[in-house]
Amino acid sequence: MSALYVQRMALGQASRRLAGKPLSTLLSAIVIAIALTLPALGYVLIDNLAGLARGVSGQPEISLFLKLDATPEQTRALEAQLRADSRIAALRFVPRDAALKQLAQRGGFAEVTGLLTDNPLPDAFVIEPRSENPEAFEALRRDYAAAPQIAHLQLDSGWVERLHALIDLGRSAMLLLGGIFAAALVIVTFNTIRLQILTQRHEIAVLLLLGATRDFVRRPFLYFGALQGLLGGLLAWGSVAALLRLVAPRLEGLAQRYSIVLDIGGPHLPEVLVLLVTATVLGWLGAALSVRRHLHDGPAD
Amino acid sequence: MIRFDAVTKRYPGGQEALSGVTTEIRHGELLVLAGHSGAGKSTLLKLIAGLETPSSGSVSVNGQDIGRLKATQLPYLRRSLGLVMQEHRLLLDRSVFDNVMLPLLVTGERPQDASKRVRAALERVGMLEHERAMPVTLSGGEQQRAAIARAIVNRPSILIADEPTAHLDPAYAREIAALFRDFHAAGVTLILATHDDTLFSPYGARRIELARGKLLS
Ligand SMILES: Nc1ncnc2c1ncn2[C@@H]1O[C@H](COP(=O)(O)OP(=O)(O)O)[C@@H](O)[C@H]1O
Ligand SMILES: [Mg+2]
């Protein structure tokens, strides 16, 4: 007898047990699927949002407005300092005249700028930091806010930061939710296997009497738990995909109103694999815990 | 060879089921264990199979002290024994054939070889024609013969049966007794607990008797 043959036999036995009670198998799979769907769906949505945040903050900028009385030397010195700063990916100088022209071209501002006798706008540098993380942004802001030539410094990272914080919060929430539902999955399997061991008490006793090892008796239960988890995972995959299809157009429409191009995709293959493997492993774990707790050594009935 | 050395068995919360039993069962012997109900016969048989452990003293089978066997070794001891115990009847959810197949599944026998051996065992107990039958459709005697087929399918050198003729009509009981005589003639060590020891006396069985856990001489 090969080890593989023994495993195949146990797997076959577990599948027959699943197929033998289609209704209870389906119900357990649905319970597991419900437990998995919510965190999986949340994860996929947050993932999409995170992708969006990455795309938008791809060119985050800091505007450095110079003092109106800054001398050209001071301006050049600052430019040299900015160019030497390795944290800065790109640098653009916006002279005050160009800024005024730009403003004039914007709808509604032409009349206003026409009224001005003096250009109130300062020269400005617009820099793109190399890193988009909020701490790096903050460090740059601190460093240049202190420079003597600079009157005012404006970050456009405020909302990016908030979005990142929101996404982080969402991720933690999904992780927590995932943890709770993972426990639920383990408990559901634990109980299914407990009942099975109870109903197969006599069969187990006979097998042990006939010289079955503990592993031999254990194995079909473990496969059963794993298969049931996998089945629940497959159902969860289906419902996540269906729900996404349902909510994606609405979210995309909503985003469009704010001129954000949102293209919700997924779940993608790696995510699906993680879902299925997690469900299988948790099912196996629930079964293993249950067998450990409920399968006694002796064949005594 | 099976040795009992000053074996005492006390169940949790109970009195002594066996007290200070010392005896020896030789290879190829036909031993009848007699005694009233509650005398300790089943307990003695369970100790041989490692289904119970002695409270004191030791039981050894072929030189192996059962009490010292690890939990992982016990299954291999049981495979070398053929056991017909009262609590471990046929599984009702499968055919006679599948019941007799069980010991071979446990040892991981290849299906082709296993089928042959199952049929040979059923043939041996005269149950081949009932191989597809479900246990509930069989008479008590037929069920007992199927249980015996399950015990011998692994060709054990020691066969242990606990009251194999209990609840059987006398005619069926005699058939079963004759079956055991044949096994004995084939060289199998046989240990039978029964309160109807007249059944086996024609076959030259050695008889020992238990009374309240003590061996009578
Ligand atoms: N599992 C058990 N727990 C407690 N007491 C038991 C158990 N099995 C047997 N006994 C007691 O041990 C004594 C011997 O029982 P047993 O070996 O079954 O006798 P026999 O087979 O000769 O009828 C009886 O008094 C019985 O009640
Ligand atoms: Mg008894």
CSV table of all heavy atoms in Angstrom, one decimal, chain B residues 30 84 120-127 141-150 152 159 164-165 168 171-188 190 192 199-200 203:
chain,number,residue,atom,x,y,z
B,30,LEU,N,-7.2,-24.5,22.2
B,30,LEU,CA,-8.6,-24.1,22.2
B,30,LEU,C,-9.1,-23.9,23.6
B,30,LEU,O,-9.2,-24.9,24.4
B,30,LEU,CB,-9.5,-25.2,21.5
B,30,LEU,CG,-11.0,-25.1,21.6
B,30,LEU,CD1,-11.5,-23.8,21.2
B,30,LEU,CD2,-11.7,-26.2,20.8
B,84,VAL,N,-14.0,-11.1,17.8
B,84,VAL,CA,-15.5,-11.1,17.7
B,84,VAL,C,-16.0,-10.7,19.0
B,84,VAL,O,-16.2,-11.5,19.9
B,84,VAL,CB,-16.0,-12.5,17.3
B,84,VAL,CG1,-17.5,-12.5,17.1
B,84,VAL,CG2,-15.3,-13.1,16.1
B,120,ALA,N,-13.0,-15.3,0.1
B,120,ALA,CA,-12.5,-16.5,0.7
B,120,ALA,C,-13.0,-16.6,2.1
B,120,ALA,O,-13.4,-17.7,2.6
B,120,ALA,CB,-10.9,-16.5,0.6
B,121,ALA,N,-13.0,-15.5,2.9
B,121,ALA,CA,-13.4,-15.5,4.3
B,121,ALA,C,-14.9,-15.8,4.3
B,121,ALA,O,-15.3,-16.6,5.2
B,121,ALA,CB,-13.1,-14.2,4.9
B,122,LEU,N,-15.7,-15.2,3.4
B,122,LEU,CA,-17.1,-15.5,3.4
B,122,LEU,C,-17.4,-16.9,3.1
B,122,LEU,O,-18.3,-17.6,3.7
B,122,LEU,CB,-17.8,-14.5,2.4
B,122,LEU,CG,-18.0,-13.1,2.9
B,122,LEU,CD1,-18.5,-12.2,1.8
B,122,LEU,CD2,-18.9,-13.0,4.1
B,123,GLU,N,-16.7,-17.5,2.1
B,123,GLU,CA,-16.8,-18.8,1.7
B,123,GLU,C,-16.5,-19.8,2.9
B,123,GLU,O,-17.3,-20.7,3.2
B,123,GLU,CB,-15.7,-19.1,0.6
B,123,GLU,CG,-15.6,-20.6,0.3
B,123,GLU,CD,-16.4,-20.9,-1.0
B,123,GLU,OE1,-15.9,-20.6,-2.1
B,123,GLU,OE2,-17.5,-21.4,-0.8
B,124,ARG,N,-15.5,-19.4,3.7
B,124,ARG,CA,-15.1,-20.2,4.9
B,124,ARG,C,-16.2,-20.3,5.9
B,124,ARG,O,-16.3,-21.3,6.5
B,124,ARG,CB,-13.8,-19.5,5.5
B,124,ARG,CG,-13.1,-20.2,6.5
B,124,ARG,CD,-12.0,-21.1,5.8
B,124,ARG,NE,-11.1,-21.6,6.7
B,124,ARG,CZ,-11.4,-22.6,7.6
B,124,ARG,NH1,-12.5,-23.1,7.6
B,124,ARG,NH2,-10.4,-23.0,8.5
B,125,VAL,N,-17.0,-19.2,6.1
B,125,VAL,CA,-18.1,-19.3,7.1
B,125,VAL,C,-19.4,-19.6,6.4
B,125,VAL,O,-20.4,-19.5,7.0
B,125,VAL,CB,-18.2,-18.0,7.9
B,125,VAL,CG1,-16.9,-17.7,8.6
B,125,VAL,CG2,-18.5,-16.8,7.0
B,126,GLY,N,-19.4,-19.9,5.1
B,126,GLY,CA,-20.6,-20.3,4.4
B,126,GLY,C,-21.6,-19.1,4.2
B,126,GLY,O,-22.8,-19.3,4.2
B,127,MET,N,-21.0,-18.0,3.9
B,127,MET,CA,-21.8,-16.8,3.8
B,127,MET,C,-21.7,-16.1,2.4
B,127,MET,O,-22.1,-15.0,2.2
B,127,MET,CB,-21.5,-15.7,4.9
B,127,MET,CG,-22.0,-16.1,6.2
B,127,MET,SD,-23.9,-15.9,6.3
B,127,MET,CE,-24.0,-14.1,6.2
B,141,GLY,N,-27.8,-16.0,13.5
B,141,GLY,CA,-26.6,-16.9,13.2
B,141,GLY,C,-25.8,-16.4,12.0
B,141,GLY,O,-24.6,-16.5,12.0
B,142,GLU,N,-26.5,-15.9,11.0
B,142,GLU,CA,-25.8,-15.4,9.8
B,142,GLU,C,-25.0,-14.2,10.1
B,142,GLU,O,-23.9,-14.0,9.6
B,142,GLU,CB,-26.9,-15.1,8.7
B,142,GLU,CG,-27.4,-16.4,8.0
B,142,GLU,CD,-28.7,-16.1,7.2
B,142,GLU,OE1,-29.3,-15.0,7.4
B,142,GLU,OE2,-29.0,-16.9,6.4
B,143,GLN,N,-25.6,-13.3,10.9
B,143,GLN,CA,-24.8,-12.1,11.3
B,143,GLN,C,-23.6,-12.5,12.1
B,143,GLN,O,-22.5,-11.9,11.9
B,143,GLN,CB,-25.7,-11.2,12.2
B,143,GLN,CG,-26.8,-10.5,11.5
B,143,GLN,CD,-27.5,-9.5,12.4
B,143,GLN,OE1,-27.0,-9.1,13.4
B,143,GLN,NE2,-28.7,-9.1,11.9
B,144,GLN,N,-23.7,-13.5,13.0
B,144,GLN,CA,-22.6,-13.9,13.7
B,144,GLN,C,-21.5,-14.5,12.8
B,144,GLN,O,-20.3,-14.3,13.0
B,144,GLN,CB,-23.0,-15.0,14.8
B,144,GLN,CG,-22.0,-15.3,15.8
B,144,GLN,CD,-21.6,-14.0,16.6
B,144,GLN,OE1,-20.8,-13.2,16.2
B,144,GLN,NE2,-22.1,-13.9,17.8
B,145,ARG,N,-21.9,-15.2,11.8
B,145,ARG,CA,-20.9,-15.8,10.8
B,145,ARG,C,-20.3,-14.7,10.0
B,145,ARG,O,-19.1,-14.8,9.8
B,145,ARG,CB,-21.6,-16.8,9.9
B,145,ARG,CG,-21.8,-18.2,10.7
B,145,ARG,CD,-22.2,-19.3,9.7
B,145,ARG,NE,-23.6,-19.2,9.4
B,145,ARG,CZ,-24.2,-19.8,8.3
B,145,ARG,NH1,-23.4,-20.6,7.6
B,145,ARG,NH2,-25.5,-19.7,8.1
B,146,ALA,N,-21.0,-13.7,9.7
B,146,ALA,CA,-20.4,-12.5,9.0
B,146,ALA,C,-19.4,-11.9,9.9
B,146,ALA,O,-18.3,-11.5,9.4
B,146,ALA,CB,-21.5,-11.5,8.5
B,147,ALA,N,-19.7,-11.7,11.1
B,147,ALA,CA,-18.8,-11.1,12.1
B,147,ALA,C,-17.5,-11.9,12.2
B,147,ALA,O,-16.4,-11.4,12.3
B,147,ALA,CB,-19.4,-10.9,13.5
B,148,ILE,N,-17.7,-13.3,12.2
B,148,ILE,CA,-16.5,-14.2,12.2
B,148,ILE,C,-15.7,-14.0,11.0
B,148,ILE,O,-14.4,-14.0,11.0
B,148,ILE,CB,-17.0,-15.6,12.5
B,148,ILE,CG1,-17.6,-15.7,13.9
B,148,ILE,CG2,-15.8,-16.6,12.4
B,148,ILE,CD1,-18.4,-17.0,14.1
B,149,ALA,N,-16.3,-13.9,9.8
B,149,ALA,CA,-15.6,-13.7,8.6
B,149,ALA,C,-14.8,-12.4,8.7
B,149,ALA,O,-13.6,-12.4,8.2
B,149,ALA,CB,-16.6,-13.6,7.4
B,150,ARG,N,-15.3,-11.4,9.3
B,150,ARG,CA,-14.6,-10.1,9.4
B,150,ARG,C,-13.4,-10.3,10.3
B,150,ARG,O,-12.3,-9.7,10.1
B,150,ARG,CB,-15.5,-9.1,10.0
B,150,ARG,CG,-14.9,-7.7,10.0
B,150,ARG,CD,-15.9,-6.7,10.7
B,150,ARG,NE,-16.0,-6.9,12.1
B,150,ARG,CZ,-16.8,-6.2,12.9
B,150,ARG,NH1,-17.6,-5.4,12.4
B,150,ARG,NH2,-16.8,-6.5,14.2
B,152,ILE,N,-11.6,-13.1,10.7
B,152,ILE,CA,-10.6,-14.0,10.1
B,152,ILE,C,-10.0,-13.6,8.8
B,152,ILE,O,-9.1,-14.2,8.3
B,152,ILE,CB,-11.1,-15.5,10.0
B,152,ILE,CG1,-12.3,-15.5,9.0
B,152,ILE,CG2,-11.5,-16.1,11.3
B,152,ILE,CD1,-12.6,-16.8,8.4
B,159,LEU,N,-7.6,-16.1,17.5
B,159,LEU,CA,-9.0,-15.7,17.4
B,159,LEU,C,-9.7,-15.7,18.7
B,159,LEU,O,-9.6,-16.6,19.5
B,159,LEU,CB,-9.7,-16.7,16.4
B,159,LEU,CG,-11.1,-16.4,16.0
B,159,LEU,CD1,-11.2,-15.0,15.3
B,159,LEU,CD2,-11.6,-17.5,15.0
B,164,PRO,N,-19.9,-16.1,21.4
B,164,PRO,CA,-20.3,-16.1,19.9
B,164,PRO,C,-21.6,-16.8,19.7
B,164,PRO,O,-22.2,-16.6,18.6
B,164,PRO,CB,-19.1,-16.9,19.3
B,164,PRO,CG,-18.5,-17.7,20.3
B,164,PRO,CD,-18.7,-16.9,21.6
B,165,THR,N,-22.1,-17.6,20.7
B,165,THR,CA,-23.3,-18.4,20.4
B,165,THR,C,-24.5,-17.9,21.2
B,165,THR,O,-25.5,-18.5,21.2
B,165,THR,CB,-23.1,-19.9,20.7
B,165,THR,OG1,-22.7,-20.0,22.1
B,165,THR,CG2,-22.1,-20.5,19.8
B,168,LEU,N,-28.4,-17.4,20.1
B,168,LEU,CA,-28.6,-18.2,18.9
B,168,LEU,C,-29.4,-19.4,19.2
B,168,LEU,O,-29.3,-20.0,20.3
B,168,LEU,CB,-27.3,-18.6,18.3
B,168,LEU,CG,-26.4,-17.5,17.7
B,168,LEU,CD1,-25.2,-18.1,17.0
B,168,LEU,CD2,-27.2,-16.6,16.7
B,171,ALA,N,-29.5,-25.0,17.0
B,171,ALA,CA,-28.9,-25.5,15.8
B,171,ALA,C,-27.9,-24.6,15.2
B,171,ALA,O,-26.8,-25.0,14.8
B,171,ALA,CB,-30.1,-25.6,14.8
B,172,TYR,N,-28.2,-23.2,15.2
B,172,TYR,CA,-27.2,-22.2,14.8
B,172,TYR,C,-25.9,-22.3,15.7
B,172,TYR,O,-24.8,-22.2,15.2
B,172,TYR,CB,-27.8,-20.8,14.8
B,172,TYR,CG,-28.8,-20.6,13.7
B,172,TYR,CD1,-30.0,-20.0,13.9
B,172,TYR,CD2,-28.4,-20.8,12.4
B,172,TYR,CE1,-30.9,-19.7,12.9
B,172,TYR,CE2,-29.3,-20.6,11.3
B,172,TYR,CZ,-30.5,-20.0,11.6
B,172,TYR,OH,-31.4,-19.7,10.6
B,173,ALA,N,-26.2,-22.4,17.0
B,173,ALA,CA,-25.1,-22.4,17.9
B,173,ALA,C,-24.1,-23.5,17.6
B,173,ALA,O,-22.9,-23.4,17.6
B,173,ALA,CB,-25.6,-22.5,19.4
B,174,ARG,N,-24.7,-24.7,17.3
B,174,ARG,CA,-23.8,-25.9,17.0
B,174,ARG,C,-23.0,-25.6,15.7
B,174,ARG,O,-21.9,-26.0,15.6
B,174,ARG,CB,-24.7,-27.1,16.9
B,174,ARG,CG,-25.0,-27.8,18.2
B,174,ARG,CD,-25.5,-29.2,18.1
B,174,ARG,NE,-26.8,-29.2,17.4
B,174,ARG,CZ,-28.0,-29.0,18.0
B,174,ARG,NH1,-28.0,-28.7,19.3
B,174,ARG,NH2,-29.1,-29.0,17.3
B,175,GLU,N,-23.7,-25.0,14.7
B,175,GLU,CA,-22.9,-24.6,13.5
B,175,GLU,C,-21.7,-23.8,13.7
B,175,GLU,O,-20.6,-24.0,13.2
B,175,GLU,CB,-23.9,-23.9,12.5
B,175,GLU,CG,-24.8,-24.7,11.7
B,175,GLU,CD,-25.7,-23.9,10.8
B,175,GLU,OE1,-25.2,-22.7,10.4
B,175,GLU,OE2,-26.8,-24.3,10.4
B,176,ILE,N,-22.0,-22.7,14.6
B,176,ILE,CA,-20.9,-21.8,14.9
B,176,ILE,C,-19.8,-22.5,15.6
B,176,ILE,O,-18.6,-22.4,15.3
B,176,ILE,CB,-21.4,-20.6,15.8
B,176,ILE,CG1,-22.5,-19.8,15.0
B,176,ILE,CG2,-20.3,-19.7,16.2
B,176,ILE,CD1,-22.0,-19.0,13.9
B,177,ALA,N,-20.2,-23.4,16.6
B,177,ALA,CA,-19.2,-24.2,17.3
B,177,ALA,C,-18.3,-25.0,16.4
B,177,ALA,O,-17.1,-25.1,16.5
B,177,ALA,CB,-19.9,-25.0,18.4
B,178,ALA,N,-19.0,-25.6,15.4
B,178,ALA,CA,-18.3,-26.5,14.5
B,178,ALA,C,-17.3,-25.7,13.6
B,178,ALA,O,-16.2,-26.1,13.3
B,178,ALA,CB,-19.3,-27.2,13.5
B,179,LEU,N,-17.7,-24.4,13.3
B,179,LEU,CA,-16.8,-23.5,12.6
B,179,LEU,C,-15.5,-23.2,13.3
B,179,LEU,O,-14.4,-23.3,12.8
B,179,LEU,CB,-17.6,-22.2,12.4
B,179,LEU,CG,-17.2,-21.3,11.2
B,179,LEU,CD1,-17.1,-22.0,9.9
B,179,LEU,CD2,-18.2,-20.1,11.2
B,180,PHE,N,-15.7,-23.0,14.7
B,180,PHE,CA,-14.5,-22.7,15.5
B,180,PHE,C,-13.7,-23.9,15.6
B,180,PHE,O,-12.4,-23.8,15.6
B,180,PHE,CB,-15.0,-22.2,16.9
B,180,PHE,CG,-15.4,-20.8,16.9
B,180,PHE,CD1,-16.7,-20.4,17.2
B,180,PHE,CD2,-14.4,-19.8,16.6
B,180,PHE,CE1,-17.0,-19.0,17.2
B,180,PHE,CE2,-14.8,-18.5,16.6
B,180,PHE,CZ,-16.1,-18.1,16.9
B,181,ARG,N,-14.3,-25.1,15.6
B,181,ARG,CA,-13.5,-26.3,15.7
B,181,ARG,C,-12.6,-26.4,14.5
B,181,ARG,O,-11.4,-26.8,14.5
B,181,ARG,CB,-14.4,-27.6,15.8
B,181,ARG,CG,-13.7,-28.9,15.8
B,181,ARG,CD,-14.5,-30.0,15.3
B,181,ARG,NE,-15.1,-29.7,14.0
B,181,ARG,CZ,-16.2,-30.3,13.5
B,181,ARG,NH1,-16.9,-31.1,14.2
B,181,ARG,NH2,-16.6,-30.0,12.3
B,182,ASP,N,-13.2,-26.1,13.3
B,182,ASP,CA,-12.4,-26.1,12.1
B,182,ASP,C,-11.2,-25.2,12.1
B,182,ASP,O,-10.1,-25.5,11.7
B,182,ASP,CB,-13.3,-25.8,10.9
B,182,ASP,CG,-14.3,-26.8,10.6
B,182,ASP,OD1,-14.2,-27.9,11.2
B,182,ASP,OD2,-15.3,-26.5,9.9
B,183,PHE,N,-11.4,-24.0,12.6
B,183,PHE,CA,-10.3,-23.0,12.7
B,183,PHE,C,-9.2,-23.6,13.6
B,183,PHE,O,-8.1,-23.5,13.3
B,183,PHE,CB,-10.8,-21.7,13.3
B,183,PHE,CG,-11.7,-20.9,12.4
B,183,PHE,CD1,-12.8,-20.3,12.9
B,183,PHE,CD2,-11.4,-20.8,11.1
B,183,PHE,CE1,-13.7,-19.5,12.1
B,183,PHE,CE2,-12.3,-20.1,10.2
B,183,PHE,CZ,-13.4,-19.4,10.8
B,184,HIS,N,-9.7,-24.2,14.7
B,184,HIS,CA,-8.7,-24.7,15.7
B,184,HIS,C,-7.9,-25.8,15.0
B,184,HIS,O,-6.7,-25.9,15.1
B,184,HIS,CB,-9.4,-25.3,16.9
B,184,HIS,CG,-8.5,-25.9,17.9
B,184,HIS,ND1,-8.7,-27.2,18.3
B,184,HIS,CD2,-7.4,-25.5,18.4
B,184,HIS,CE1,-7.7,-27.5,19.2
B,184,HIS,NE2,-6.9,-26.5,19.2
B,185,ALA,N,-8.6,-26.7,14.2
B,185,ALA,CA,-7.9,-27.8,13.5
B,185,ALA,C,-6.9,-27.2,12.5
B,185,ALA,O,-5.9,-27.8,12.2
B,185,ALA,CB,-9.0,-28.6,12.7
B,186,ALA,N,-7.2,-26.0,12.0
B,186,ALA,CA,-6.2,-25.4,11.1
B,186,ALA,C,-5.1,-24.7,11.8
B,186,ALA,O,-4.2,-24.1,11.1
B,186,ALA,CB,-7.0,-24.3,10.2
B,187,GLY,N,-5.0,-24.8,13.1
B,187,GLY,CA,-3.9,-24.3,13.8
B,187,GLY,C,-4.0,-23.0,14.5
B,187,GLY,O,-3.1,-22.4,15.0
B,188,VAL,N,-5.2,-22.4,14.4
B,188,VAL,CA,-5.4,-21.1,15.1
B,188,VAL,C,-5.6,-21.3,16.6
B,188,VAL,O,-6.3,-22.2,17.0
B,188,VAL,CB,-6.7,-20.4,14.4
B,188,VAL,CG1,-7.1,-19.1,15.1
B,188,VAL,CG2,-6.5,-20.2,12.9
B,190,LEU,N,-7.5,-20.4,19.8
B,190,LEU,CA,-8.9,-19.9,19.9
B,190,LEU,C,-9.2,-19.7,21.4
B,190,LEU,O,-8.9,-20.5,22.3
B,190,LEU,CB,-9.8,-21.0,19.5
B,190,LEU,CG,-10.4,-20.9,18.1
B,190,LEU,CD1,-11.2,-22.2,17.8
B,190,LEU,CD2,-11.2,-19.7,18.0
B,192,LEU,N,-12.4,-18.6,23.6
B,192,LEU,CA,-13.9,-18.3,23.6
B,192,LEU,C,-14.5,-18.1,25.0
B,192,LEU,O,-14.3,-19.0,25.8
B,192,LEU,CB,-14.6,-19.5,22.9
B,192,LEU,CG,-14.1,-20.0,21.6
B,192,LEU,CD1,-14.6,-21.4,21.2
B,192,LEU,CD2,-14.5,-19.0,20.5
B,199,LEU,N,-21.1,-26.8,24.6
B,199,LEU,CA,-21.0,-26.8,23.2
B,199,LEU,C,-19.6,-27.2,22.7
B,199,LEU,O,-19.5,-27.8,21.6
B,199,LEU,CB,-21.2,-25.4,22.7
B,199,LEU,CG,-22.6,-25.0,22.2
B,199,LEU,CD1,-22.7,-23.5,21.8
B,199,LEU,CD2,-23.0,-25.9,21.0
B,200,PHE,N,-18.6,-26.8,23.4
B,200,PHE,CA,-17.2,-27.0,23.0
B,200,PHE,C,-16.5,-28.2,23.6
B,200,PHE,O,-15.5,-28.6,23.2
B,200,PHE,CB,-16.4,-25.8,23.2
B,200,PHE,CG,-16.9,-24.6,22.4
B,200,PHE,CD1,-17.9,-23.7,23.0
B,200,PHE,CD2,-16.5,-24.4,21.1
B,200,PHE,CE1,-18.4,-22.7,22.2
B,200,PHE,CE2,-17.0,-23.4,20.4
B,200,PHE,CZ,-17.9,-22.5,20.9
B,203,TYR,N,-15.0,-31.0,21.6
B,203,TYR,CA,-13.8,-30.7,20.7
B,203,TYR,C,-12.5,-30.7,21.5
B,203,TYR,O,-11.5,-30.2,21.0
B,203,TYR,CB,-14.0,-29.4,20.0
B,203,TYR,CG,-15.3,-29.3,19.2
B,203,TYR,CD1,-16.1,-28.1,19.2
B,203,TYR,CD2,-15.7,-30.4,18.5
B,203,TYR,CE1,-17.3,-28.1,18.5
B,203,TYR,CE2,-16.9,-30.4,17.8
B,203,TYR,CZ,-17.7,-29.2,17.8
B,203,TYR,OH,-18.9,-29.2,17.1
